[in-house]
Amino acid sequence: GAVVSQHPSWVICKSGTSVKIECRSLDFQATTMFWYRQFPKQSLMLMATSNEGSKATYEQGVEKDKFLINHASLTLSTLTVTSAHPEDSSFYICSATGSSPEQYFGPGTRLTVT
Amino acid sequence: KQEVTQIPAALSVPEGENLVLNCSFTDSAIYNLQWFRQDPGKGLTSLLLIQSSQREQTSGRLNASLDKSSGRSTLYIAASQPGDSATYLCAPGNTPLVFGKGTRLSVIA
C-alpha cells in the first residue's frame, strides 16, 4: 500500500514558539492531504484539507492564522502551529489521497507545548 | 454532516472469544467504509475497506460487513488474541473520512 510519513514523530516546544510538522507521501503523488487532530481518548477531528498548489480549506472552529498549512508539492504538506499554547498539545495526523479516494495515514506527531 | 457512533465504547474479553464491534452512521451516501486499528500513541492501521457495492470483506480473522441503506457496519474478530488489544475506528468513506470515537478492546490472556 501507499506510504505516508510524518516528521517529527514527537516534539516539545515552549509556549509562544512555532513548530512545523511535515507530511510526505513516499511512493505516490498526493493531490489532496488532510490534517487531523486527536486529543487523548477522543476521535480524530479533521482540521483542514489541502490541495497541491492552492490554499487549504479549514473546518469550522479551526483558526487558519494559527494553523498554517502549505501544500507546495505533490508529495509534501506542512502544518505550522504558530504561537503555540499548552492547549495545542495534541496528536496531529495527516493523510493523503492520490488517484484513488482511499486515504493513507501518516504515523502521527505528538506535540507537547510547555 | 456525517455522524458516526461506535458501540461499545470499551470491551474486555478473555483470549479466544469471538467478538463484534458495531458502527452506525447517519449519511449513507458513501463510497466505502474503512475499519482502522490504533494502538496507544500511534497512528492508524487500515484493517479493511469495504466498497459501497460490497456487503462484506474478510482479512484473516477479521470480517467486516456493511449495510449501507441502514447506515451500519460491523467488525467481527474471531478467536481474539492479546495482540488484538487496541482501539478500533470506523470511518464511513467519503473524502475526507469522518471517524467515530472508537471501541477500546482489551483481550486478556
Side-chain angles (χ1 to χ4, degrees), chain A residues 1-2 96-97 99-105, chain B residues 30-37 45-60 62-67 73-75 89-95 97 99:
Chain A
T97 59
S99 55
S100 73
E102 186 173 358
Q103 282 181 241
Y104 301 98
F105 285 81
Chain B
I30 59 173
Y31 295 126
N32 54 46
L33 184 141
Q34 285 185 257
W35 282 92
F36 294 87
R37 168 187 174 137
T45 300
S46 180
L47 297 174
L48 289 164
L49 183 152
I50 313 175
Q51 299 291 350
S52 61
S53 58
Q54 297 176 312
R55 292 194 65 83
E56 66 178 69
Q57 191 69 257
T58 297
S59 176
L62 305 179
N63 176 277
S65 67
L66 174 63
D67 185 342
S73 177
T74 60
L75 178 66
L89 297 166
C90 160
N94 285 326
T95 304
L97 293 177
F99 290 85

Side-chain angles (χ1 to χ4, degrees), chain A residues 34 36 38 43 46 91 103 107, chain B residues 38 42-43 95-97 99-100:
Chain A
F34 307 93
Y36 293 81
Q38 185 180 36
S43 186
L46 180 67
F91 193 54
Q103 282 181 241
Chain B
Q38 186 177 30
K42 303 293 185 181
T95 304
L97 293 177
F99 290 85

